[in-house]
Amino acid sequence: MKIGVIRFPGSNCDRDVYHAIELAGGEGEYVWWNKEDLSYLDAVVIPGGFSYGDYLRAGAIASITPVVDGIKSLVKEEKPVLGICNGAQILAEIGLVPGVFTVNENPKFNCEWVDLKVSTTRTPFTNNFKKNEIIKMPVAHAEGRYFNQDIDTLKSQDQIVLQFSNKNPNGSIEGITGVCDESGLVCAVMPHPERASEEILGSDDGLSFFKGILDSI
């Protein structure tokens, strides 16, 4: 069970994700932005960071790199894809999840622990939780405010994965901070499950995201 960890210039959570994959019992492999063939992988995680410095728009430059074709091919093969923070922005930028993650309502970098409601358990990443369970993970971003013009479709297709519970620190519509595609196999979340993978970090709720990937393979 080999899980690819995608690296772009500016990725800075890749080692944390790799460690969380190992804690969950999986085998990680770093994959650089210029690799096109990912067919040997069982799943991929796009970690957080600031790909290409986010100079144009978060995730915009990463979205036109060769590895994106490989990620899209994995999606066609119905393999799990998880995007975290900058990875979530990239998945939205390439259209693999609906909506956008844009500048926070208060346009400053925000880093804090938050309570989150698990809104669906039908994804591989959340199927170890209970629906509406409250979990704890940190957020760290300046462009994480989720917006979607078609919230009704999002709800009817059960594509809302996570919502802020105790506060809405970035002004996301209906507190949404995690969404998935129609299949549930592609998931984009702004909170960092890899930073909540051990009790010593303050919570191990995030580890279930990575165990869920392995359970689904």
Side-chain angles (χ1 to χ4, degrees):
M1 296 182 182
K2 186 169 289 188
I3 303 175
V5 181
I6 309 297
R7 278 176 154 174
F8 299 99
S11 297
N12 62 22
C13 297
D14 43 342
R15 293 183 181 181
D16 308 73
V17 167
Y18 188 101
H19 179 64
I21 290 169
E22 288 193 326
L23 282 176
E27 179 184 0
E29 177 167 318
Y30 293 122
V31 178
W32 280 100
W33 61 274
N34 56 353
K35 191 160 189 172
E36 295 183 48
D37 182 10
L38 308 183
S39 59
Y40 64 100
L41 297 170
D42 297 301
V44 296
V45 179
I46 311 173
F50 301 89
S51 56
Y52 301 93
D54 284 350
Y55 285 119
L56 179 59
R57 183 178 61 250
I61 299 176
S63 72
I64 57 172
T65 55
V67 75
V68 169
D69 288 336
I71 294 170
K72 289 181 175 177
S73 293
L74 287 187
V75 173
K76 290 179 181 175
E77 295 172 19
E78 299 184 346
K79 295 179 179 178
V81 175
L82 174 64
I84 302 168
C85 198
N86 194 222
Q89 296 159 342
I90 293 168
L91 288 177
E93 189 75 28
I94 61 181
L96 288 180
V97 296
V100 297
F101 295 94
T102 188
V103 178
N104 294 351
E105 191 171 53
N106 182 349
K108 293 183 178 179
F109 186 83
N110 182 47
C111 181
E112 62 179 307
W113 284 85
V114 292
D115 289 343
L116 303 159
K117 182 177 75 173
V118 179
S119 301
T120 184
T121 58
R122 74 182 182 93
T123 81
F125 320 100
T126 55
N127 63 11
N128 286 321
F129 298 109
K130 296 176 182 176
K131 186 175 175 62
N132 296 326
E133 182 175 349
I134 302 300
I135 62 175
K136 183 180 178 184
M137 292 194 291
V139 293
H141 56 256
E143 298 181 50
R145 179 164 59 99
Y146 183 75
F147 181 74
N148 189 320
Q149 289 183 314
D150 193 0
I151 290 295
D152 290 340
T153 298
L154 208 62
K155 291 178 178 177
S156 66
Q157 296 182 161
D158 197 20
Q159 290 180 254
I160 299 173
V161 177
L162 294 175
Q163 290 173 279
F164 292 119
S165 175
N166 57 337
K167 62 169 69 173
N168 187 348
N170 57 22
S172 291
I173 187 168
E174 300 204 17
I176 296 169
T177 189
V179 294
C180 64
D181 69 346
E182 291 183 32
S183 73
L185 291 172
V186 183
C187 184
V189 298
M190 286 309 299
H192 286 264
E194 80 282 6
R195 297 186 190 178
S197 58
E198 297 176 87
E199 281 291 348
I200 194 172
L201 299 174
S203 168
D204 63 356
D205 288 338
L207 189 60
S208 290
F209 276 66
F210 301 97
K211 288 182 176 178
I213 297 174
L214 298 175
D215 291 344
S216 70
I217 296 173

